[in-house]
Amino acid sequence: MSSVVFDVPDVSCEHCERTITGALQPIAGVREVSVDVPARTVAVAFDDRIVGVERLKQVLTDEDYPVAAER
């Protein structure tokens, strides 16, 4: 199991949280998604044998939430 935290500056409300969770949660290998609206971060726990960080970033970008940085 791996995890990553993305800095996503465009996260600003509960709608953003629902949209991001709804986009990431169904991806095979994603185990947990946590959106922190005040911190504007998205934390994802995932199985790196199934899905990679680049795929997660692409999904966020496709939903109009581009990643500024990852930790």
Side-chain angles (χ1 to χ4, degrees), residues 20-68:
I20 290 168
T21 301
L24 293 174
Q25 195 66 53
I27 298 172
V30 172
R31 302 292 183 235
E32 185 177 343
V33 177
S34 177
V35 180
D36 184 336
V37 174
R40 298 181 183 218
T41 60
V42 177
V44 184
F46 61 99
D47 184 336
D48 59 4
R49 296 171 297 169
I50 299 172
V51 65
V53 171
E54 291 305 316
R55 172 75 176 122
L56 301 174
K57 286 170 60 173
Q58 185 60 52
V59 168
L60 288 169
T61 298
D62 290 348
E63 293 294 327
D64 292 326
Y65 294 99
V67 173

